[in-house]
Amino acid sequence: MFTGIVEELGTVRRVLPGARAGKIVIGARKVLEDVHIGDSIAVNGVCLTVVSASADEFTADVMPETLRKSGLGALKAGDPVDLERAMAANGRFGGHIVSGHIDGVGRIVETRPEENAVIVTISAPPEILALIVEKGSIAIDGISLTVASLSRTTFSVSLIPHTAAQTVLLKKHAGDVVNLENDIVGKYVQKLLAGATGNQPSGLTLEYLQANGF
């Protein structure tokens, strides 16, 4: 599990493609301070397993499902990436619950300054937008962010200067792909409302939730 608080910007050193999968080699420092083979590191929000590591880089396998669901397949040598180690049991929970399992990708529509912040607007598929709520949480390239506004086809987030400087998001441009992970709480609520089979009504309704203080 991750929190969406990016620890450092790494750099893609090599991408080793296979027929349908591959490996990625990433240069880093901070996330390698206590790394072990088999540890999880989120790369642009995608949970990857360390298969080898040295003092300044690590290698991870990238499976076909990861390439289908995320933007990792578009990375090339020299690209910056957001990195976060899995949350330690004694760590602070600074962001929100992030699994590192990407729901899909969006595309940056525009970025614009707003006083000391930067507003980033992103287009996303309907199934992802359906689980986004204003002032709720979403992980974009592994960054825990609060939704500032929402429309039928896009949503926007606001970045403070620290987040803008310490993450990859503002290094991207209009049209670039970003990895998106919906808030896991919303996914469970959607599942309960739909029923266990996905098409049968459940006993949990909006009226029930409102009557019980939710």
Side-chain angles (χ1 to χ4, degrees), residues 96-178:
H96 72 282
I97 299 172
V98 177
S99 69
H101 303 152
I102 301 301
D103 293 306
V105 298
R107 288 189 181 273
I108 296 174
V109 175
E110 67 168 1
T111 60
R112 59 179 176 85
E114 186 180 59
E115 296 190 19
N116 69 335
V118 178
I119 302 293
V120 181
T121 301
I122 295 169
S123 63
E127 61 271 20
I128 290 179
L129 290 167
L131 286 168
I132 297 176
V133 297
E134 287 192 14
K135 303 303 179 272
S137 296
I138 189 165
I140 303 174
D141 278 345
I143 312 161
S144 175
L145 292 166
T146 300
V147 177
S149 63
L150 178 66
S151 75
R152 290 194 312 108
T153 58
T154 67
F155 69 96
S156 296
V157 294
S158 181
L159 275 66
I160 61 172
H162 175 80
T163 304
Q166 298 297 319
T167 66
V168 75
L169 195 51
L170 291 192
K171 292 176 173 49
K172 295 188 173 184
H173 306 92
D176 286 348
V177 169
V178 291

Side-chain angles (χ1 to χ4, degrees), residues 50-126:
V50 176
V51 296
S52 66
S54 66
D56 66 349
E57 68 178 30
F58 70 94
T59 301
D61 289 316
V62 182
M63 61 184 179
E65 174 67 5
T66 301
L67 294 176
R68 283 192 294 268
K69 285 288 189 179
S70 76
L72 287 193
L75 291 174
K76 59 187 182 301
D79 284 346
V81 286
D82 294 328
L83 300 177
E84 181 192 356
R85 289 168 290 188
M87 182 184 177
N90 63 347
R92 287 189 174 90
F93 208 123
H96 72 282
I97 299 172
V98 177
S99 69
H101 303 152
I102 301 301
D103 293 306
V105 298
R107 288 189 181 273
I108 296 174
V109 175
E110 67 168 1
T111 60
R112 59 179 176 85
E114 186 180 59
E115 296 190 19
N116 69 335
V118 178
I119 302 293
V120 181
T121 301
I122 295 169
S123 63

